[in-house]
Amino acid sequence: MNIPESAPSDTDLRSWLRARVAHYVQLDVADIDTTTALTTYGLDSVYALILCGDIEDHLELVLEPTVAWDHPTIDALARHLEETLAQGSPSGESR
Amino acid sequence: MIDETGSRDAQAGIAGPEDDPATAASIEDLAAATIDTPTTASLNDLEHLFGDPWDPDNPTGHAAVLAADEAGEMLAAGERLLDGYGLNAEFVPPELGGRLTRLDHLIEVMRVVFRYDPCLGLGYGASSLIPAVNVWAAGDERQRRRMAEVLLAGGRAVSGYHELAHGNDFARAEFSALPGDDGRLRLNGRKEVIANARRAEAMVLFARTSDAPGSRSHSQLFVEKADLPAGAPVHLPRFHSAGMRGVQLGGLEFRDCPIPADAVLGAPGLGMETALRSFQVTRTALPAMTAGILETGLEVTARFANERVLYGRSLAGMPYIGSILADAFTDLLICDCLATVTARSVHLLPGETSLYASAAKYFVATLLMDAMDALSRVLGAQFYIRDGGYGIFQKHLRDLAPAGFGHTARVACLSTVLPQLPRLARKGWLDDTQPPAGVFHLGADLPPLPFERLSISSGGRDSLSASLSAALGSCELDGELRRLVLVIAAEQADVRRECAALAPGDLTVAARPEALRLAARYAAVLAATACVNIWLHNRERHDAFLSDPRWAVAALGRIAERVGRDPGQRPRHVTERLSAEVLSRYRDRRGFGLSNRRLPG
Ligand SMILES: Cc1cc2nc3c(=O)[nH]c(=O)nc-3n(C[C@H](O)[C@H](O)[C@H](O)COP(=O)(O)OP(=O)(O)OC[C@H]3O[C@@H](n4cnc5c(N)ncnc54)[C@H](O)[C@@H]3O)c2cc1C
């Protein structure tokens, strides 16, 4: 997995997230709606933790493990990550 | 309750009934009690109170326990005994007036209870502990104080999570607490198969507080029965169970029942997160306490093997029987190592226990059940017969079954671990950061329980696993034990490789059995890591058995077999050392666990 030099744009991030979700739930990217709750795809509860780990490694951020519970669609998650990156500080300082 | 150790008993007086003479304990006694820890002395108090299990006239011995079980009732004399001892204080943190300073101590105390009567262990103990821990982890000042007061006064708490329709899938729980017209929350729905549903003064209820799907739609509620309107809740008929027959399993139904505005634990929506954090404490503690069942199983089987004469010789002298005893004893030691290291990790590595607690719950429960099954074969028909001298065995065997499915099914524990493994394989397991050595030092001091630092994910860290290669670096490790550690290290390397290659679908609820088995193999390696490090770090304890590497050789061999690796032929002197230890501990009345404690009587 490449780590981007600079923060990816919102669209990049969204399509990356969409690809990750499609990857885990084994659907075509085209079948993943960015406004649909991740729960609908079965990515809830402890299963949402895999996304959090992937995002942390991809963006080199430290996040709250519950990030995908609090921002439960791809759009919401992308928006939140975009803001976090813009602030230049991780949202989760708990470690 | 008056006996030689005034300090512990003074505490018991706080929780004891009004007429208990210990309530008159002096201020000095109380002050001493606050710094007291459940040392051997207080464990011995509890053992003394229970008395000789084999005495047919003992009101808390095996015969009485069996009679209560046959009647489907809790052992009343046992409940009174625990009231007097103030058992509930073991579940309350010290700043709230209790004795819950250390998880390993709590486990030791509860293990005594489970050895005598698992119904008391669950019905008097664990079912109040689970809701209490959730209040300690997420409750505000008032809620924490009230829960402590209820428990210290000898009250009970209901653990209200389970709904028949949803089982382990409690993210879909339907029981709801939504605002009514006046803005107050209204309870609607049922909680079923709930221990002490009718008998509890306080309850923690897991309820939906939002209609949205997802993991932020539930909250936990702390509700006292006294605050509910007359007629609420409606009690559903009792459920009758195959084991734990004395535990009163009931159901609660609420219909538009208003509750006080300040019932929510923490902020609304934190119910799931709080449960996943708090359950790390209880998933660690419950199976570890339950190991008391296997201790009794070993004692009963050793007694049988000792008494039974076939073909002109004692059963205990037959190598076949000796090897079954040795294996079951080894499994108990493995359980103790993993459970103790996990319990100490809750204090020392709270950020990582999301991995260890679920792995331990799976592995310890599995070993305990398999070992009891194996022992039942030694007893022959006597394990099937409900009365007579060995009747207690079949009760303990039945009472053990809920360890497999209760408080989260074993496979659901594996599915908590599994999604974290690929990232560990990519990164975490390449990091050589070691855990603090204190996780392996039996009995050494521990910092307070850090409820607030428990996290639902390990964030890609797993320092306990790194301590396997560190053990290999020790020059103390040689011979047969080193050879077996290398077998386990090979398994660890395979697990890492296979985790890195896991198919994405395997990280979801669609996981294949092979994928879940990887999580089980991870747990097995963790158990072996705990065993070898317990051996390495406790050799100065003047316990000739513990410092002898043979138990660790047997443990690693059993674990290797379990994951399908060939450990090689176990040397005969190893098996003989272990079976002889079982029989001598039985004859000398010593406990079968790691602590090797002398039992009174
Ligand atoms: C003696 C006793 C006391 C109890 N006390 C209480 C109490 O005080 N409070 C309370 O709330 N509850 C209590 N319970 C209920 C207990 O919590 C439930 O039995 C438990 O939660 C499991 O639910 P279930 O048995 O319905 O299993 P289900 O979830 O219906 O499981 C069915 C099957 O699905 C499997 N399964 C589940 N999840 C997964 C997964 N993720 N992946 C693969 N397979 C899976 C299970 O292993 C099982 O084989 C008690 C039960 C008993 C027997």
Side-chain angles (χ1 to χ4, degrees):
Chain A
M1 200 175 303
N2 307 324
I3 309 247
E5 299 265 276
S6 58
S9 77
D10 176 54
T11 5
D12 283 348
L13 201 53
R14 249 192 2 194
S15 45
W16 180 82
L17 280 170
R18 207 170 161 202
R20 289 317 288 167
V21 172
H23 171 73
Y24 286 119
V25 302
Q26 295 170 294
L27 288 175
D28 276 352
V29 175
D31 293 330
I32 303 292
D33 184 320
T34 59
T35 64
T36 296
L38 293 167
T39 336
T40 313
Y41 301 113
L43 281 180
D44 186 45
S45 183
V46 293
Y47 302 113
L49 298 179
I50 38 177
L51 263 193
C52 175
D54 280 5
I55 300 168
E56 285 188 331
D57 289 350
H58 182 62
L59 301 178
E60 294 191 311
L61 279 179
V62 177
L63 298 166
E64 288 292 342
T66 49
V67 66
W69 295 1
D70 292 320
H71 309 280
T73 64
I74 291 173
D75 279 353
L77 201 50
R79 216 159 32 239
H80 169 74
L81 294 172
E82 187 66 16
E83 279 165 26
T84 307
L85 288 167
Q87 284 161 11
S89 73
S91 66
E93 303 283 7
S94 62
R95 301 199 187 131
Chain B
M1 214 88 19
I2 300 285
D3 69 4
E4 55 289 319
T5 55
S7 60
R8 217 238 79 254
D9 247 52
Q11 280 266 315
I14 295 175
E18 291 288 76
D19 59 352
D20 190 319
T23 2
S26 69
I27 300 291
E28 288 87 329
D29 281 345
L30 287 175
T34 55
I35 50 162
D36 188 21
T37 53
T39 52
T40 314
S42 74
L43 287 174
N44 282 346
D45 286 353
L46 186 55
E47 305 262 9
H48 274 299
L49 292 174
F50 270 109
D52 178 2
W54 298 102
D55 174 359
D57 299 322
N58 178 357
T60 52
H62 291 332
V65 167
L66 270 175
D69 194 63
E70 289 289 331
E73 283 162 9
M74 289 297 277
L75 181 69
E79 292 197 315
R80 280 195 301 276
L81 180 160
L82 295 175
D83 283 344
Y85 178 82
L87 185 73
N88 280 354
E90 305 291 344
F91 312 150
V92 178
E95 64 276 17
L96 292 164
R99 300 191 291 266
L100 178 56
T101 49
R102 294 172 50 153
L103 213 47
D104 55 347
H105 286 163
L106 169 67
I107 289 167
E108 282 283 300
V109 171
M110 286 303 296
R111 213 165 140 142
V112 175
V113 181
F114 270 93
R115 269 195 7 242
Y116 281 87
D117 182 8
C119 290
L120 287 173
L122 177 66
Y124 195 113
S127 45
S128 286
L129 176 69
I130 296 169
V133 168
N134 282 273
V135 174
W136 314 145
D140 62 24
E141 191 67 35
R142 182 197 69 85
Q143 292 160 336
R144 288 159 53 87
R145 187 171 39 77
R146 279 303 301 149
M147 181 59 117
E149 284 166 0
V150 167
L151 292 176
L152 293 175
R156 297 182 181 84
V158 141
S159 173
Y161 296 90
H162 180 249
E163 295 173 23
L164 275 182
H166 302 291
N168 284 285
D169 182 13
F170 66 89
R172 285 185 180 66
E174 289 169 273
F175 183 96
S176 67
L178 297 169
D181 294 339
D182 59 359
R184 291 172 74 192
L185 291 178
R186 293 277 191 287
L187 298 183
N188 274 296
R190 290 173 163 207
K191 292 289 177 188
E192 288 173 276
V193 202
I194 303 298
N196 295 328
R198 275 179 193 273
R199 306 173 84 203
E201 288 79 1
M203 43 192 114
V204 170
L205 299 167
F206 187 82
R208 179 169 285 284
T209 42
S210 153
D211 289 330
S215 300
R216 285 296 192 211
S217 299
H218 294 90
S219 305
Q220 296 197 40
L221 311 167
F222 172 70
V223 178
E224 293 185 60
K225 218 172 245 175
D227 292 337
L228 295 175
V234 173
H235 289 286
L236 303 170
R238 183 170 169 187
F239 291 85
H240 293 96
S241 48
M244 295 285 188
R245 286 164 66 170
V247 177
Q248 315 278 306
L249 299 175
L252 301 170
E253 185 175 28
F254 293 87
R255 298 173 196 144
D256 257 334
C257 173
I259 53 167
D262 55 359
V264 175
L265 286 183
L270 292 185
M272 184 80 164
E273 185 178 1
T274 300
L276 286 176
R277 288 170 54 233
S278 312
F279 287 2
Q280 292 171 32
V281 175
T282 43
R283 278 180 194 167
T284 302
L286 265 54
M289 299 168 180
T290 309
I293 295 182
L294 179 55
E295 273 199 86
T296 296
L298 267 165
E299 188 192 355
V300 174
T301 312
R303 185 183 177 93
F304 176 80
N306 212 37
E307 289 173 349
R308 186 82 168 151
V309 176
L310 288 179
Y311 316 106
R313 60 169 76 188
S314 153
L315 204 58
M318 293 186 187
Y320 175 73
I321 300 296
S323 83
I324 297 178
L325 289 175
D327 285 347
F329 176 44
T330 304
D331 287 352
L332 177 62
L333 295 171
I334 297 170
C335 288
D336 270 7
C337 288
L338 180 57
T340 306
V341 168
T342 305
R344 300 183 65 82
S345 297
V346 172
H347 291 262
L348 294 166
L349 295 166
E352 296 176 30
T353 30
S354 64
L355 284 170
Y356 311 144
S358 288
K361 152 86 210 209
Y362 160 78
F363 201 71
V364 171
T366 300
L367 255 65
L368 293 176
M369 290 164 71
D370 290 354
M372 276 297 272
D373 261 344
L375 289 177
S376 76
R377 291 193 278 280
V378 174
L379 287 166
Q382 291 300 325
F383 109 83
Y384 208 66
I385 289 172
R386 304 219 307 267
D387 30 35
Y390 309 106
I392 195 70
F393 189 94
Q394 54 81 30
K395 171 182 151 57
H396 275 54
L397 184 67
R398 282 185 283 111
D399 289 352
L400 179 56
F405 61 81
H407 197 42
T408 318
R410 283 172 295 161
V411 60
C413 287
L414 293 180
S415 68
T416 304
V417 172
L418 186 59
Q420 303 201 46
L421 298 184
R423 189 179 188 209
L424 287 168
R426 283 199 311 270
K427 276 175 80 170
W429 289 334
L430 307 176
D431 177 353
D432 192 38
T433 307
Q434 294 297 311
V439 295
F440 302 122
H441 283 132
L442 297 176
D445 286 349
L446 287 170
L449 274 167
F451 294 107
E452 67 296 341
R453 284 169 52 215
L454 293 166
S455 168
I456 66 165
S457 154
S458 89
R461 282 158 308 166
D462 177 4
S463 58
L464 279 187
S465 289
S467 66
L468 185 67
S469 54
L472 273 172
S474 163
C475 56
E476 325 271 2
L477 195 73
D478 54 15
E480 188 65 3
L481 188 52
R482 169 170 289 273
R483 190 184 64 74
L484 284 163
V485 174
L486 287 168
V487 171
I488 299 293
E491 175 68 7
Q492 189 181 48
D494 284 354
V495 168
R496 172 152 60 83
R497 204 171 30 253
E498 291 174 50
C499 284
L502 266 173
D506 279 335
L507 305 177
T508 68
V509 76
R512 290 167 309 138
E514 298 84 340
L516 286 161
R517 184 159 159 72
L518 263 180
R521 289 163 61 197
Y522 164 77
V525 171
L526 202 64
T529 304
C531 290
V532 66
N533 278 296
I534 290 273
W535 179 76
L536 274 172
H537 288 84
N538 295 278
R539 289 179 320 126
E540 315 300 320
R541 286 171 58 87
H542 308 294
D543 177 335
F545 177 76
L546 194 62
S547 47
D548 185 333
R550 281 181 284 190
W551 70 266
V553 165
L556 265 58
R558 296 278 293 159
I559 295 170
E561 260 173 4
R562 208 167 253 283
V563 295
R565 298 191 97 93
D566 179 10
Q569 185 74 35
R570 180 164 76 192
R572 215 169 95 192
H573 68 96
V574 171
T575 310
E576 285 171 358
R577 174 76 183 89
L578 288 158
S579 59
E581 181 76 11
V582 172
L583 293 167
S584 72
R585 287 195 191 192
Y586 163 69
R587 289 174 195 136
D588 304 347
R589 289 214 30 80
R590 279 181 291 133
F592 291 100
L594 268 184
S595 73
N596 194 5
R597 208 157 40 81
R598 197 169 208 94
L599 305 178

